[in-house]
């Protein structure tokens, strides 16, 4: 892969993501103020000492955005990765094994999917102790049901191909068939789904924070910041739009990169392209 | 020049290709093709895949498939160039004066409409006849094409008739508007030989009856010899040779044409000693879990280092037999003995060494290889899986195997998509060889390949057998291949073994009815074979 093969849209996406990660990693050094520090009046306008203004408690929004990137990104990323690992392993096992394993997994998945995600999450999070790990796991498990659905569908398509039969005839085990024969041929749709799911995770985390069950104050996170400042909108104060815009921008950046990856992998020599 | 129905002058056809990572470029598909076709005559276009024969055929309808553009030359229909007509103008010609018969009739018919309605659709759309007239003509054509129950045939849906009947219905559709020219694009390629001969005879009869001219596109010289007045041999978009059918078959001038004519003439003497049995199939019956039985009481055996050919048309159960032997489909009755030891019926219970000793080569090499693995990985996997080879040793052995299949180690890092059809099949053979098997099941490994490429594969298999003493169970529908490679032959029909024994006995009279039909249906490279075959068939049915 050469750098000049990367398309402009992909560069925009990559830069956006890098910026977010840069903020997340170096937050204490680049943020002008502390995460929880009250530095000025309530809802001060943009410009001046506070580049993006201050929030409903008089904290610097830019600083909280930078610190918020940390929690938002890490929680969303961890949840997406776990949900994909879980969903792919279970769905591929079901697709390769068929029979009763497939039935048990799939019906249980249907059961999980039949409960509205948000309500399920609210109930579980309300009952369980409030910790970051629990939050991530709940998000991951709920999201993995969607991944399972897609994973099983694409894996079934590939599992009936003759090269998989040839691997079975060779005597290959299930692990080899899943990871070496099927997974590489399903990467294209799965990558697309990953980008989408990551964006959804950010949104879902924001929703939970907005409802008060996600990241707990005073820790900053983008969704929570929207919630904190939403009342300002009535008074014409744009403080809530900054984290909201950041969520949208990051979701778009992730999808720009995924779109490019998709194009690249499907035009790979011998890829089961979607072109 | 008005005495020619169709004149093609200096045809040039181009397409744009999009190689990954490079700017798109124009490639020439067909160049410098000229020919004339008179009324009521048939011109055969023959060549391997990629020769441009379909592209030339479609140019008679001024049509370019999938990004293909006609960039030069003229296509004159009764003296008038149809290329500059534009979309609206060409529409009055397509389906009315020039019609097209596609290779896969099953894909070309709309499954939701009755055959009769589809056959007359284009004729009505052009307003050439009233509906009653069109139906009458369709009925007449069904009769001419020898379709069963012609008066009710049009009321059926495409899935209710057989593949051969569907192909004839498509010919009726093309003939319905009483066109001056029909383009047949490999109309019998997807059919079994016993069906092919019927369709071929029907097409020939219908062309003669209606005095229509035709372009007949195929890769099978023996087929085109039966039906054409003239033959044009094509290769890489250029004309190799043009002449009367007689001259092309009997006195080909060009090297390439000679190779095509001689391709199926190979014969091999069968091995004398057929006693040292490697594989023995005893009274095997098999079916699918829904109770549908596919194999009935099949018994046969295969000596070490020899080739058993299993012949039959589609649906005869020959591929199922291979699946039973591999263990993919455990038999419901009967047993399989391999090298004196009974094989466990199901794949999962077999030991790794048992699996290693029986390898399978698929018909479609494209789908039999993981498109995301390199040639080196594909061939290397059996080496590490069965023999624990790694690193440099494995790579060296892969290179050695690539030499064996006459490809060379330069291919080691290529992906299957970068290989030609023949090369893919060679890699599939190398993958089987890597396991050092004693038996290779070959499931029609050459039927998707062009004749000359297929011959190369057969020669390779024979050479490998001579070197390694491997046995082949070779599944095919092609009698010419059986003659070329087999020691013993099993003929299958509808899941039953019809005939089994040494080649010299099976392919010599007295025949049973089915084997007789099968042998007589195989086109031979001889003008007038079709008439002879049909005549001998009629005589027999009269005799019975």
């Amino acid at each position: 892969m050469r750098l000049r093969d990367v398309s402009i849209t992909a560069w925009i996406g990559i830069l956006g993501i890098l910026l977010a990660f840069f903020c997340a990693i170096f937050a204490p050094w680049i943020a002008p103020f502390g995460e929880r520090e009250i530095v000025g009046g309530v809802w001060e306008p943009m410009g001046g000492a506070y580049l993006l203004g201050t929030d409903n408690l008089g904290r610097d929004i830019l600083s909280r955005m930078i610190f918020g990137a940390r929690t938002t990104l890490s929680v969303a990323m961890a949840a997406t990765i776990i949900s994909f690992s879980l969903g792919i392993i279970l769905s591929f096992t079901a697709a390769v094994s068929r029979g009763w394993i497939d039935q048990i997994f799939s019906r249980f998945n249907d059961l999980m999917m039949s409960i509205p995600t948000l309500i399920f999450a609210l109930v579980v999070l309300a009952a369980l102790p409030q910790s970051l790990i629990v939050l991530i796991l709940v998000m991951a498990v709920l999201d993995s049901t969607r991944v399972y659905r897609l994973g099983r569908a694409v894996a079934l398509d590939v599992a009936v191909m003759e090269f998989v039969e040839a691997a079975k005839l060779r005597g290959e085990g299930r692990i080899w068939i899943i990871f070496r024969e099927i997974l590489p041929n399903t990467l294209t749709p799965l990558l697309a789904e990953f980008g989408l799911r990551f964006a959804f995770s950010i949104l879902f985390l924001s929703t939970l924070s907005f409802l008060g069950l996600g990241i707990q104050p005073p820790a900053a996170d983008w969704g929570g910041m929207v919630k904190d400042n939403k009342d300002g909108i009535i008074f014409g104060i744009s403080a809530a739009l900054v984290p909201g815009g950041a969520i949208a921008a990051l979701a778009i950046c992730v999808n720009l990169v995924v779109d490019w990856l998709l194009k690249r992998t499907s035009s790979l020599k011998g890829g089961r392209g979607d072109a | 020049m008005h005495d020619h129905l169709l004149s093609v002058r200096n045809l040039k056809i181009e397409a744009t290709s999009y190689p990954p990572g490079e700017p798109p470029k124009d490639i020439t598909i067909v160049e410098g093709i000229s020919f004339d076709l008179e009324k009521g005559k048939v011109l055969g276009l023959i060549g391997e895949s990629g020769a441009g024969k379909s592209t030339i055929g479609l140019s008679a309808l001024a049509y370019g498939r999938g990004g293909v553009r006609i960039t030069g030359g003229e296509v004159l229909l009764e003296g008038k160039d149809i290329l500059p007509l534009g979309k609206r103008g060409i529409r009055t010609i397509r389906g009315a004066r020039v019609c097209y018969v596609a290779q896969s009739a099953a894909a070309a018919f709309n499954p939701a409409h009755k055959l009769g309605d589809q056959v007359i659709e284009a004729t009505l759309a052009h307003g050439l006849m009233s509906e009653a007239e069109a139906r009458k003509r369709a009925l007449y054509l069904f009769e001419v094409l020898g379709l069963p129950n012609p008066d009710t045939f049009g009321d059926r849906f495409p899935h209710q008739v057989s593949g051969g009947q569907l192909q004839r219905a498509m010919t009726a559709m093309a003939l319905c508007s009483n066109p001056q020219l029909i383009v047949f694009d490999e109309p019998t390629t997807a059919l079994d030989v016993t069906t092919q001969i019927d369709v071929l005879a029907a097409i020939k009869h219908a062309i003669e009856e209606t005095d229509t001219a035709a372009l007949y596109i195929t890769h099978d010289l023996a087929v085109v010899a039966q039906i054409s007045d003239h033959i044009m041999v094509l290769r890489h978009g250029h004309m190799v040779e043009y002449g009367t059918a007689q001259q092309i078959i009997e006195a080909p001038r060009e090297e390439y044409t000679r190779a095509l004519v001689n391709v199926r003439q190979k014969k091999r003497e069968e091995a004398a000693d057929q006693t040292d049995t490697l594989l023995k199939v005893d009274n095997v019956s098999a079916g699918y879990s829904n109770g549908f039985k596919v194999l009935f009481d099949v018994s046969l055996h295969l000596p070490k280092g020899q080739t058993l050919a299993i012949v039959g048309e589609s649906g005869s159960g020959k591929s199922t037999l291979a699946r039973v032997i591999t263990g993919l489909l455990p038999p419901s009755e009967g047993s399989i003995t391999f090298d004196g030891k009974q094989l466990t019926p199901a794949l999962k219970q077999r030991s790794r060494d048992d699996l290693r000793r029986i390898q399978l080569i698929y018909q479609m090499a494209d789908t039999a290889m993981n498109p995301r693995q390199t040639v080196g990985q594909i061939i290397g996997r059996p080496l590490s899986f069965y023999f624990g080879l790694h690193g440099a040793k494995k790579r060296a052995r892969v290179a050695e195997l690539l030499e064996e299949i006459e490809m060379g180690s330069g291919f080691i890092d290529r992906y299957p998509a970068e290989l030609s059809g023949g090369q893919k099949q060679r890699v599939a053979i190398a993958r089987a060889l890597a396991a050092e098997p004693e038996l290779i099941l070959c499931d029609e490994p050459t039927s998707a390949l062009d004749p000359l490429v297929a011959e190369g594969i057969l020669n390779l298999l024979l050479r490998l057998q001579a070197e390694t003493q491997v046995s082949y169970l070779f599944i095919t529908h092609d009698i010419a291949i059986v003659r070329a490679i087999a020691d013993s032959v099993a003929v299958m029909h509808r899941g039953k073994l019809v005939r089994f024994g040494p080649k010299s006995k099976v392919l010599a009279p007295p025949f049973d009815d089915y084997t007789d039909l099968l042998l007589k249906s195989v086109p031979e490279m001889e003008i007038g074979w079709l008439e002879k075959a049909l005549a001998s068939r009629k005589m027999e049915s009269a005799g019975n």
Side-chain angles (χ1 to χ4, degrees):
Chain A
M1 183 175 79
R2 284 159 306 204
L3 279 182
R4 64 181 179 84
D5 291 342
V6 182
S7 70
I8 292 174
T9 49
W11 271 122
I12 296 173
I14 290 171
L15 287 180
I17 294 170
L18 282 181
L19 179 70
F21 273 95
F22 179 79
C23 291
I25 294 164
F26 299 103
W29 292 280
I30 56 172
F33 301 96
E35 184 185 7
R36 297 157 194 197
E37 196 181 341
I38 296 176
V39 292
V42 172
W43 284 330
E44 283 188 29
M46 290 188 189
Y50 318 111
L51 208 56
L52 294 175
T54 57
D55 71 357
N56 61 330
L57 295 177
R59 296 170 295 196
D60 179 41
I61 290 186
L62 178 64
S63 306
R64 279 184 69 76
M65 287 289 298
I66 292 170
F67 278 101
R70 252 185 182 187
T71 31
T72 308
L73 278 184
S74 55
V75 172
M77 194 53 105
T80 316
I81 290 173
I82 294 174
S83 79
F84 259 74
S85 315
L86 201 64
I88 289 178
I89 291 173
L90 291 181
S91 65
F92 281 23
T93 310
V96 173
S97 319
R98 307 302 304 270
W100 59 271
I101 295 182
D102 186 17
Q103 283 298 327
I104 290 175
F105 284 6
S106 297
R107 295 301 80 80
F108 183 71
N109 192 57
D110 289 347
L111 189 75
M112 294 280 285
M113 284 182 92
S114 65
I115 307 168
T117 320
L118 190 59
I119 294 175
F120 200 175
L122 289 180
V123 171
V124 174
L125 285 174
L128 290 175
Q130 296 215 330
S131 79
L132 216 53
I133 307 287
V134 172
L135 179 67
I136 291 172
L137 285 181
V138 168
M139 284 174 62
V141 169
L142 288 175
D143 229 19
S144 68
T145 56
R146 272 79 185 162
V147 179
Y148 177 91
R149 266 291 174 91
L150 176 78
R152 184 173 172 276
V154 292
L156 273 183
D157 265 2
V158 179
V160 296
M161 304 273 290
E162 277 170 349
F163 61 82
V164 177
E165 194 181 281
K168 283 183 188 163
L169 278 178
R170 207 184 302 139
E172 300 282 6
R174 207 169 280 175
I175 303 281
W176 173 279
I177 289 177
I178 289 177
F179 288 103
R180 294 307 190 84
E181 305 288 346
I182 298 182
L183 187 61
N185 288 292
T186 51
L187 268 185
T188 305
L190 289 177
L191 268 177
E193 185 71 3
F194 187 88
L196 215 61
R197 285 284 143 212
F198 179 62
F200 280 153
S201 282
I202 296 173
L203 296 177
F204 190 55
L205 177 63
S206 304
T207 314
L208 287 175
S209 304
F210 185 86
L211 292 169
L213 282 164
I215 310 289
Q216 295 306 309
D221 119 276
W222 295 354
M225 288 172 70
V226 177
K227 176 205 173 195
D228 292 343
N229 296 298
K230 70 176 193 305
D231 295 334
I233 293 173
I234 304 167
F235 309 113
I237 289 159
S238 58
L241 300 184
V242 176
I247 294 170
L250 185 62
I252 291 172
C253 285
V254 169
N255 278 293
L256 286 177
V257 175
V258 167
D259 277 354
W260 165 72
L261 276 178
L262 210 64
K263 226 176 269 164
R264 212 181 74 82
T265 49
S266 63
S267 70
L268 248 192
K269 310 251 159 71
R272 276 161 39 92
D274 53 359
Chain B
M1 296 288 281
H2 277 260
D3 47 341
H4 297 305
L5 172 70
L6 179 77
S7 296
V8 171
R9 294 273 162 269
N10 250 327
L11 191 65
K12 183 172 183 185
I13 299 175
E14 287 180 306
T16 312
S17 84
Y18 300 91
E22 287 169 48
K25 58 179 178 203
D26 286 347
I27 46 170
T28 307
I29 296 180
V30 168
E31 200 170 16
I33 298 291
S34 303
F35 59 84
D36 296 313
L37 184 60
E38 281 162 49
K39 203 164 174 280
K41 296 281 181 195
V42 180
L43 171 66
L45 296 175
I46 184 155
E48 54 198 48
S49 45
K53 50 193 194 302
S54 291
T55 314
I56 295 171
L58 286 168
S59 72
L61 291 101
Y63 181 75
R65 198 186 286 180
V68 167
R69 299 179 308 275
I70 302 173
T71 50
E74 297 177 313
V75 177
L76 306 164
L77 189 66
E78 289 191 315
K80 191 166 176 283
D81 193 358
I82 61 167
L83 292 182
L85 281 182
K87 270 192 179 154
R88 202 174 278 271
I90 197 66
R91 218 176 279 161
T92 61
I93 291 176
R94 286 184 192 157
R97 293 170 65 194
V98 184
C99 291
Y100 178 71
V101 176
Q103 173 173 358
S104 170
F109 272 105
N110 186 334
H113 293 281
K114 286 180 185 166
L115 287 169
D117 296 340
Q118 298 192 56
V119 165
I120 62 169
E121 189 185 353
T123 311
L124 295 184
H126 284 287
L128 298 171
M129 292 177 204
S130 72
E131 185 169 344
E133 281 172 329
R135 294 226 179 256
K136 224 175 105 194
R137 175 149 175 92
L139 185 62
Y140 161 73
L141 289 169
F142 290 157
E143 266 168 38
V144 170
L145 288 160
L147 286 164
N149 307 324
D151 34 341
T152 55
F153 186 80
D155 294 331
R156 300 209 220 165
F157 285 95
H159 67 271
Q160 293 173 313
V161 304
S162 72
Q165 290 168 359
L166 214 50
Q167 199 69 54
R168 276 180 273 174
M170 186 136 184
T171 309
M173 173 152 75
L175 283 166
C176 188
S177 60
N178 217 343
Q180 293 156 302
L181 175 67
I182 301 186
V183 179
F184 290 97
D185 195 353
E186 308 238 15
T188 62
T189 306
L191 304 174
D192 286 314
V193 277
T194 50
T195 321
Q196 167 172 292
I197 183 170
D198 292 331
V199 175
L200 216 52
I203 290 178
K204 185 166 187 178
H205 179 58
I207 290 175
E208 280 166 5
E209 191 82 356
T210 54
D211 206 24
T212 310
L215 284 176
Y216 197 99
I217 298 160
T218 178
H219 66 272
D220 192 337
L221 196 52
V223 165
V224 85
Q226 308 313 319
I227 211 159
S228 319
D229 302 291
H230 287 82
I231 294 177
M232 178 183 276
V233 183
L234 296 158
R235 195 182 197 192
H236 307 316
H238 293 269
M239 191 184 84
V240 176
E241 188 168 356
Y242 176 81
T244 62
Q246 187 122 20
Q247 179 257 312
I248 295 281
I249 301 297
E250 283 162 15
R253 281 189 296 262
E254 298 293 322
E255 188 74 32
Y256 180 68
T257 318
R258 260 200 292 279
L260 279 183
V261 172
N262 293 326
V263 71
R264 292 148 70 93
Q265 309 292 335
K266 207 175 162 70
K267 286 201 171 63
R268 175 170 119 152
E269 290 300 307
E270 66 186 44
D273 176 37
Q274 305 204 348
T275 47
D276 192 7
T277 305
L278 176 71
L279 176 81
K280 201 158 171 289
V281 175
D282 286 310
N283 305 94
V284 161
S285 297
Y288 292 100
S289 51
N290 57 13
F292 184 71
K293 269 187 105 177
V294 195
L295 281 182
F296 304 88
D297 198 27
V298 174
S299 300
L300 38 80
H301 56 87
L302 167 60
K304 264 182 197 157
Q306 297 191 11
T307 303
L308 165 64
I310 300 189
V311 203
E313 47 195 56
S314 47
S316 63
K318 53 194 196 303
S319 294
T320 309
L321 182 62
R323 292 175 68 83
V324 169
I325 294 170
T326 57
L328 281 168
L329 180 74
S332 54
E333 284 159 56
S335 66
I336 296 157
T337 318
F338 185 73
D339 203 13
K341 203 178 86 190
Q342 189 164 336
L343 279 178
T344 25
L347 179 67
K348 280 191 180 161
Q349 272 95 47
R350 291 194 186 170
S351 72
R352 194 176 274 205
D353 201 51
D354 280 346
L355 293 172
R356 177 188 67 76
R357 294 166 74 185
I358 303 179
Q359 293 290 315
L360 180 65
I361 299 174
Y362 290 88
Q363 175 174 7
M364 304 296 291
D366 298 281
T367 52
M369 289 187 285
N370 192 334
R372 303 272 177 177
Q373 291 176 355
T374 62
V375 168
Q377 288 170 319
I378 290 168
I379 302 177
R381 181 57 189 169
L383 295 175
S384 44
F385 188 75
Y386 294 125
F387 306 111
L389 287 186
H390 286 291
K393 259 191 190 163
K394 177 163 124 183
R395 211 174 155 84
R397 176 76 181 125
V398 170
E400 210 177 289
L401 283 162
L402 280 170
E403 293 296 337
E404 284 270 297
I405 55 164
E406 296 150 20
M407 275 174 63
S409 51
F411 285 91
I412 205 162
D413 292 317
R414 300 253 205 121
Y415 284 92
E418 296 172 291
L419 306 178
S420 71
Q423 287 170 336
K424 276 183 222 171
Q425 200 55 277
R426 280 170 193 263
V427 172
I429 292 171
R431 175 172 69 181
L433 279 184
E436 294 172 25
E438 282 148 63
L439 171 65
I440 300 183
L441 310 172
C442 308
D443 191 354
E444 306 230 25
T446 59
S447 60
L449 302 173
D450 290 314
L452 291 178
V453 179
E455 190 169 61
I457 298 281
L458 290 181
N459 287 337
L460 172 68
L461 287 172
L462 288 176
R463 204 198 78 219
L464 292 171
Q465 185 169 49
E467 284 169 15
T468 62
Q469 285 301 303
V470 63
S471 303
Y472 295 128
L473 186 115
F474 199 101
I475 295 166
T476 181
H477 63 270
D478 191 341
I479 300 287
I481 292 180
V482 176
R483 291 210 176 95
I485 65 160
D487 296 296
S488 48
V489 182
V491 180
M492 289 190 69
H493 184 49
R494 296 193 181 155
K496 293 195 180 86
L497 192 65
V498 178
R499 207 171 159 88
F500 170 64
K503 178 168 68 176
S504 56
K505 288 218 180 79
V506 170
L507 297 186
F511 294 119
D512 55 280
D513 290 349
Y514 179 70
T515 310
D516 190 41
L517 175 69
L518 192 66
L519 287 176
K520 284 199 178 133
S521 303
V522 181
E524 276 172 35
M525 207 75 79
E526 180 190 320
I527 309 285
W529 164 82
L530 183 63
E531 285 72 19
K532 258 194 269 172
L534 290 171
S536 84
R537 257 200 205 184
K538 264 185 209 126
M539 255 160 53
E540 263 164 47
S541 54
N544 289 342

